[in-house]
């Protein structure tokens, strides 16, 4: 059974960003070790005889709980934010809340996948986030990654801005969560590829990442994606440079496993009669860690088609507006291999994130 986010008082299902239960008004905090909500009184909750406090960013809608000795009372997710707007920049801070929500979802998923997270303030090159607003700064903020630090333009949490960019760039999908998944892909390329063999396989699939990035940008924005790119790439952006192809593929691995995990938690499965072409039901799993990539991709093929049909029934565009070609399957298989064999180099690294990981069922 996968942990369902529920209200501890009235047992109603809750979305991950809930601060106060909309059904019974209980004040709540989210405990990342157990993936459960707990009632909070006067900013504290007692969980397994240990006192947890609400995150010091609760005023900016962070609902995670913090154990007593966390630096500055910030939760693990907030601690990863290296730069945020000034305290008096309330307009930028209101956009921060939405972005931080997407970031908390990302971090939970990285933990579920067993990927190590070393914070930027522990080790140079560790993971950190600079969350800046191009509107407040009055200059462009380039979304990107450098040496562990992910930079995000908070202005993209404004729907009109993000949609305008999406249309201008001809992208079928553009979300804050998607940006975060893509940029952490750059971080994990260096973390997960640990030897020459891995890099050789990676270059085989994605191309040589030592090719000039500057030339690649110029070519991409003057000439666009090459004809027939669908056959080899998951998106047009992935065609730009081997780094971008890796990051795009990583993001898709997270899209796929994250959505299947949610489907599994809800209990959605497809009856074989609905698919016509199968003689077994499609039952998504909370984790594909011990499964071959073929099962992950087969489950996704059926489930994404079903989700697309549901979206269309409401007049929306497809939930997953992408096509996975045989070449992209090979890239995703490599990603599955990397993620399921992630080097959890020392226990401490992992413990930083989930101190009681071993107790989690
Ligand atoms: Zn409730
Ligand atoms: Zn927090
Ligand atoms: Zn990128």
């Amino acid at each position: 059974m996968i942990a369902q986010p529920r209200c501890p008082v009235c047992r109603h299902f809750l979305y991950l960003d809930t601060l106060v239960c909309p059904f019974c008004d209980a004040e709540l905090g989210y405990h990342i070790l157990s993936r459960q909500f707990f009632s909070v009184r006067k900013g504290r909750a007692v969980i397994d005889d240990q006192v947890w406090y609400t995150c010091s960013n609760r005023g900016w809608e962070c609902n995670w709980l913090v154990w007593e000795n966390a630096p500055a009372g910030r939760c693990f997710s907030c601690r990863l934010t290296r730069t945020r707007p000034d305290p008096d920049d309330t307009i930028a801070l209101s956009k921060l809340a939405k972005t931080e929500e997407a970031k908390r979802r990302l971090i939970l998923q990285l933990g579920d996948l067993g990927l190590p997270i070393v914070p930027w303030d522990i080790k140079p090159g560790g993971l950190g986030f600079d969350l800046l607003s191009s509107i407040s700064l009055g200059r462009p903020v380039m979304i990107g990654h450098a040496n562990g630090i992910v930079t995000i333009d908070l202005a993209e949490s404004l729907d009109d801005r993000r949609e305008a960019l999406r249309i201008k760039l001809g992208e079928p999908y553009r979300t804050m969560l998607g940006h975060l998944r893509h940029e952490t892909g750059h971080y994990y390329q260096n973390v997960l590829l640990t030897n020459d063999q891995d890099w050789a396989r990676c270059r085989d699939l994605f191309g040589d990442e030592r090719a000039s990035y500057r030339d690649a940008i110029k070519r991409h924005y003057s000439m666009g994606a090459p004809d027939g790119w669908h056959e080899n790439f998951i998106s047009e952006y992935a065609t730009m440079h081997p780094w971008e192809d890796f990051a795009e593929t990583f993001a898709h691995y997270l899209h796929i496993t994250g959505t299947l995990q949610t489907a599994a938690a809800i209990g959605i499965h497809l009856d074989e009669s609905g698919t016509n072409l199968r003689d077994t039901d499609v039952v998504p799993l909370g984790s594909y860690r011990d499964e071959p990539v073929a099962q992950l991709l087969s489950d996704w093929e059926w489930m994404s088609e079903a989700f697309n049909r549901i979206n269309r029934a409401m007049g929306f565009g497809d939930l997953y507006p992408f096509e996975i070609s045989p070449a992209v399957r090979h890239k995703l298989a490599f990603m599955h291999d990397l993620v399921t064999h992630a080097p959890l180099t020392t226990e401490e690294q992992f413990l930083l994130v989930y101190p009681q990981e071993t107790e989690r069922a």
Side-chain angles (χ1 to χ4, degrees):
M1 266 302 277
I2 303 155
Q4 285 264 27
R6 287 187 185 285
C7 175
V9 180
C10 72
R11 308 301 301 158
H12 209 286
F13 159 81
L14 299 173
Y15 291 107
L16 278 177
D17 59 337
T18 307
L19 291 153
V20 174
C21 176
F23 305 97
C24 74
D25 291 334
E27 183 144 351
L28 302 169
Y30 191 72
H31 180 240
I32 57 168
L33 302 184
S34 61
R35 302 288 203 270
Q36 296 288 342
F37 279 99
F38 284 84
S39 289
V40 169
R41 249 186 229 148
K42 296 196 172 126
R44 348 176 328 144
V46 178
I47 302 165
D48 296 337
D49 296 329
Q50 204 181 7
V51 181
W52 290 71
Y53 296 92
T54 50
C55 174
S56 56
N57 285 328
R58 194 170 172 93
W60 296 109
E61 297 174 26
C62 177
N63 66 351
W64 278 16
L65 293 170
V66 177
W67 61 334
E68 326 179 52
N69 47 4
R74 281 168 306 159
C75 71
F76 185 73
S77 173
C78 289
R79 172 202 183 142
L80 292 175
T81 300
R82 187 177 75 161
T83 315
R84 49 185 260 154
D86 290 334
D88 55 356
D89 189 350
T90 48
I91 297 170
L93 283 168
S94 67
K95 296 193 273 297
L96 178 75
K98 249 180 135 175
T99 303
E100 289 282 14
E101 180 198 333
K103 177 162 141 275
R104 289 194 298 275
R105 184 179 284 273
L106 168 82
I107 288 164
L108 285 179
Q109 186 181 15
L110 297 176
D112 285 341
L113 291 170
L115 290 171
I117 303 173
V118 182
W120 63 275
D121 56 350
I122 297 279
K123 190 180 148 197
L127 185 62
F129 295 83
D130 284 353
L131 307 179
L132 312 170
S133 167
S134 57
I135 297 176
S136 306
L137 294 171
R139 62 169 170 83
V141 170
M142 286 293 286
I143 295 178
H145 164 269
N147 198 28
I149 302 296
V150 170
T151 301
I152 292 289
D153 183 7
L154 295 172
E156 279 226 18
S157 64
L158 297 172
D159 293 341
D160 55 343
R161 263 180 103 99
R162 193 185 56 256
E163 267 302 285
L165 272 169
R166 185 185 72 73
I167 291 158
K168 188 174 153 206
L169 297 170
E171 295 172 347
Y173 170 89
R174 191 176 180 96
T175 66
M176 197 51 92
L177 182 60
H179 285 321
L180 291 166
R181 284 173 171 166
H182 172 101
E183 298 306 336
T184 46
H186 290 304
Y187 167 72
Y188 280 110
Q189 184 164 17
N190 285 319
V191 172
L192 298 179
L193 295 169
T194 50
N195 56 52
D196 292 347
Q197 273 162 301
D198 287 347
W199 277 104
R201 273 179 72 202
C202 187
R203 285 176 190 140
D204 248 15
L205 288 162
F206 298 91
D208 193 332
E209 82 292 346
R210 292 164 296 192
S212 161
Y213 191 77
R214 191 187 294 240
D215 293 351
I217 294 182
K218 240 199 240 161
R219 194 187 57 243
H220 183 73
Y221 288 108
S222 64
M223 296 163 66
D227 286 344
W229 63 267
H230 281 110
E231 283 169 36
N232 291 308
F233 298 92
I234 192 67
S235 68
E236 288 191 53
Y237 194 64
T239 68
M240 186 163 98
H241 189 277
W243 277 340
E244 299 308 339
D245 193 11
F246 185 95
E248 282 289 88
T249 308
F250 181 87
H252 276 261
Y253 187 80
L254 265 55
H255 293 333
I256 293 168
T257 50
T259 307
L260 287 172
Q261 185 190 39
T262 299
I266 298 167
I268 297 176
H269 79 265
L270 301 180
D271 194 274
E272 41 95 7
S273 65
T275 65
N276 292 333
L277 296 170
R278 287 175 63 110
D279 48 17
T280 51
D281 294 354
V282 181
V283 184
L285 303 175
S287 166
Y288 286 82
R289 197 170 178 87
D290 301 321
E291 309 300 329
V293 73
Q295 186 180 345
L296 170 70
L297 295 178
S298 161
D299 286 358
W300 182 240
E301 195 183 334
W302 294 104
M303 292 303 297
S304 61
E305 185 185 86
F307 292 135
N308 288 352
R309 286 169 64 185
I310 287 170
N311 264 30
R312 288 181 189 208
M314 266 305 282
F316 285 121
D318 287 343
L319 178 90
Y320 188 70
F322 299 95
E323 222 179 278
I324 297 178
S325 68
V328 171
R329 286 176 74 90
H330 283 124
K331 294 177 190 179
L332 285 165
F334 178 66
M335 214 54 80
H336 187 61
D337 220 32
L338 280 182
V339 170
T340 53
H341 295 96
L344 302 171
T345 39
T346 66
E347 215 181 16
E348 279 107 15
Q349 277 188 3
F350 204 51
L351 293 188
L352 277 171
V353 191
Y354 303 111
Q356 294 159 23
E357 177 63 24
T358 45
E359 292 173 19
R360 201 150 62 81

